[in-house]
Amino acid sequence: GAEEDRGRCLGLRYDFRALRDASEFLLGWATEQLEADPSLSYVVCGHSHLPLLHEHAPGRWYINSGDWVGHFSYVTVQPEGPSLRTWA
C-alpha cells in the first residue's frame, strides 16, 4: 500500500502488522483511560508510526501524532479540537 511504498522510498522497513497491532493496543488503552477518568479531555501518544485522531466522546480525544519519518505527521490542538497534519 501507500504506507509501504513511502517507507520503502525512505529506506525504512516497517512491520505493518506489528504497527497495526500496537495502534489497536494503544487505542484500547487510551479508551480505558478516558472511561476511567471523566476529567480527561485528551490522551496523547506518539512515535508509534501510525497517526490517529479518535473522538471517544464529544470533546474527549485519543491523539497519536504518528511519526516524522514515514508519515511526516504532527498534531495541533486548538480550542475547537485537535487536527492531524503532515509536513509538506
Side-chain angles (χ1 to χ4, degrees):
E3 288 180 347
E4 292 175 30
D5 291 341
R6 180 181 280 177
R8 230 180 263 118
C9 178
L10 293 170
L12 304 173
R13 292 179 187 237
Y14 291 130
D15 179 344
F16 286 97
R17 184 176 303 138
L19 291 176
R20 279 191 297 273
D21 289 349
S23 182
E24 289 175 13
F25 171 81
L26 288 171
L27 176 58
W29 175 81
T31 298
E32 290 173 5
Q33 304 313 302
L34 289 164
E35 289 176 357
D37 187 346
S39 70
L40 292 176
S41 297
Y42 305 104
V43 173
V44 182
C45 295
H47 196 67
S48 72
H49 302 286
L50 291 177
L52 176 67
L53 289 180
H54 173 77
E55 190 170 24
H56 174 70
R60 303 185 73 220
W61 294 86
Y62 164 57
I63 301 170
N64 193 308
S65 60
D67 65 24
W68 286 18
V69 224
H71 292 94
F72 310 106
S73 55
Y74 66 102
V75 172
T76 59
V77 179
Q78 304 295 326
E80 59 275 3
S83 296
L84 188 59
R85 302 182 181 270
T86 56
W87 294 103

